[in-house]
Amino acid sequence: MDKRYEVYCLADRHFYETPDRLASAQQPGVTPKFSTAERPVPESWKSSVNGDWLMLTPLDGDGQQLPLPAQGWKIHVSATRENADKVASVVWDYCVPRGVPFKFVPGPVLLHLRNSKYAARDGSGKFATIYPTGEEQLQQILRELGKLLEGHEGPYILTDLRWDEGPLYVRYGAFARRMCVDKRGTLVPALENAEGVLVPDKRDPAFRVPEWVKLPAFLEPQLAARNTTTVGDLPYRIEKALHFSNGGGVYRGTDTRTGRKVVLKEARPHAGLGSDGADAVTRLERERTALERAAGLAVAPEPLDWFLLGDHQFLVMEYIEGRTLNSFFAERHPLLSAEPSRDAIAEYTEWALRIHGLVEQAVEALHGRGVVFNDLHMFNILIAPDEQSVTLIDFETAADAEEDGRQVVAHPGFVAPADRRGADVDRYALACLRIALFMPVTTLFAVDRGKAAHLADVVAAEFPDVPREFLDTAVAEICRGYRAPDGAAQPAAAEAPASGLHLGGATPVAEPGDWPYSRDSMAKAILAAATPERDDRLFPGDIAQFTEGGGLGLAHGAAGVLYALAQTGAERYEEGEEWLLAHTDPVPFGTPLGLYDGIAGIAYTLHRLGHTQRALDLVEFALREKWQRLTTHLHGGLAGLGLVLDHLAWTAGESQLNDLALEATEIVASRVAELRDGDRAGGKGRRAGLMHGMTGPALLLIRQYEATGAPELLELAGDALRLDLECCVEQKGGGLQVNEGWRTMPYVGDGSAGIGMVLDDYLTHQDDDAFELARDGILTAATSRFYAQPGLLQGRAGMILHLSRTTMPEATSGQLAAQIAALGWLAMPYAGQLAFPGHQMMRLSMDLATGTVGCLLALGAALDSGSTAQLPFLPPLRRRP
């Protein structure tokens, strides 16, 4: 699970949403703003809101904002929810009379989210930021404000150097918003180095001074004090970090006195907050208590030690040999193959039912000791090496059963409804586990618990040896007390039809394969979700849309939706086009330049919709930047930009753009040749695939070969594809997938299916036996029975797109039909219409890369014979004569 997504689930039930919208809503018993944030703006000062910050800056005599230095030493102030308003008041009263600009988090909900368990560690603890004009003022503020804030506590700020023992911290970083392209080709916040070149402003959770900056002498004692706290004097040798969260780390180690393997769990005070406000230290104390009560049951680790290091609390536990339950899916789940055998399905069913029984026994044993586990999910279940026993791990949310409390921290796929308390929380998770062992997509229940009945039907069809009672019991528990979106009671599983998408008792939605009815239904859902009154985004999608350019671009923004609607023959959304035109005039600061992430893709879309002059204006704007420094990839690099420049040169009559397209092609070609001729280490450490690998450059080179006939371009395209194939591995069932080191990927965006699409294009021009063999392996990877997500770039819709386009004779209509039908497993209703969840499956999405619009495009390519529905620059293939 990507923990970044959880905070974006708090403000809206259906879609990912910025957490500041939760803070702006009035909540019972919660003050929306600190009283300091309600103060009148001082005379000759300006206030503004930027995300979760309230910024105050002084004005000059003409009413203009006084400019900040571009970068320098900044001061961060830490605070807890209890003292934050007082701290803000002290900072305000100190900074305003002295004309020092500052900002702070204006309300308790936003502050809680910054310090919650799965918040970003680089922002944790940062309640206020102060901007000194130089080192002399920096020292003065630290000394004077430090005195005023003595005794105030707050979370430790991991990115900074602490000043004395108070809540002030310092870090050298950017003041003004400047951007540069990092090594991955992504626009990131920037600093200017000693040579005047913009470089990434790194914000790792560790204090670092840029190499061209000297630490002020008055901060040297603070650094020395920081370095005195080490693990060297402990009787434990820490050998490996197992996990990090905002609350602290989990480490594997050895007791140097006995040689015994142990696990050390760290808790940071005031950080890692749960929904009940408890910090990581409080939860670690709960874990210690629960483990002591569970001692001797052989279902939980034994607690061994408890100590304080610095101000961080540590719990030492026995190390349990084994693997977490989730790690078994890649090697055991039979639906990960294209045609699982009856024996493989039966063998897996027997194993899964036995494992569930062991977990149930473990939970019942805890309940017998009066302990509620409260966070049961597949990452917290450890399977012994002999697979004959299980151990539950991570007891930090465990509680006394007699307290009959609610869940405060939970995995999104197992989070209990608000009406479940005490042991019922564990019973709900056990019910979810019954389905997740066969269909691990229970995060959908966060959107609509009624989906359980449909998934139970899917499990019954795919795993016929699973007892129906086993599934019906799960559905009954999950849907207990549930009311469907239309207000009707959820039917019992036994009453539900065995086919069709009866989602949550709501009005049935279209089957994906029922074209064009499914197209019209998806289009209605997409438009129903539109928010033309908002400035940050038009259509809800992935959380990436809330960063620079995300709400506008092709992958996650308005351009991608408008493009797909047009390509599939859906009704034109003119209000959406006007929104995109208005919100790119002017182009927002920091908007990336590329095809899928920014300006090039927006220009391409607007041109296809008939807004050619605006498209050309956008390209002209992009070309003012140092675009030659972009990476080579398709998503946001030179491959995508070069394709758009070439397209506009010929279709918009702007011949001068052809020279720039050729320049982009030459740069890409030289980089492909450099990588081809260098030491590649077998592809290790490189990204591969259509979006971020060398397949995107291969696509540009093929299209330029088609335009120019230059054979060296086709040869280099083949070299680029071979570079990506070096990053692929053959799976047990024969499927060829991209190896990312810790997982393998079959998908269109960063996996093998995207490579396969461009291999198809290459092979229309040139025979290559190795490429034909690779296509066979990619076809196998693209025909599995199970994919965890429906999306276009990282899910089943991408497989549908590839199968509908490929010229491989082995690709059958039956394989394509099976993938289209299975896409319906993940279908969800929205506004009574057909929709799909986005990345991480915790909310619906309407964007091209991850959501409903991507599914629409793939289905259009597969089912509409007269459609031009394809990804940009990947038109339907023609077989080579």
Side-chain angles (χ1 to χ4, degrees), residues 70-73 135 171-174 178 180 189-202 208-216:
Q71 61 194 52
W73 289 98
E135 292 185 9
R171 173 184 176 270
Y172 190 94
R178 294 191 290 180
C180 72
L191 289 170
E192 186 177 306
N193 67 14
E195 288 74 41
V197 177
L198 290 180
V199 297
D201 181 9
K202 296 181 179 179
R208 292 187 177 90
V209 181
E211 58 185 17
W212 68 91
V213 176
K214 180 176 173 57
L215 184 75

Side-chain angles (χ1 to χ4, degrees), residues 764-841:
T764 63
H765 301 292
Q766 179 72 49
D767 289 326
D768 189 298
D769 290 342
F771 283 178
E772 290 285 3
L773 187 62
R775 283 207 306 172
D776 286 339
I778 292 170
L779 177 65
T780 300
T783 52
S784 292
R785 287 296 292 151
F786 178 78
Y787 297 99
Q789 301 186 129
L792 183 63
L793 297 189
Q794 287 191 326
R796 194 183 294 270
M799 306 308 175
I800 293 170
L801 183 68
H802 175 49
L803 292 174
S804 70
R805 183 178 184 270
T806 186
T807 54
M808 294 185 69
E810 296 89 343
T812 67
S813 58
Q815 290 171 329
L816 179 59
Q819 293 298 325
I820 292 172
L823 184 65
W825 296 354
L826 303 181
M828 301 288 286
Y830 181 73
Q833 305 297 334
L834 176 61
F836 290 91
H839 195 52
Q840 300 295 306
M841 304 281 285

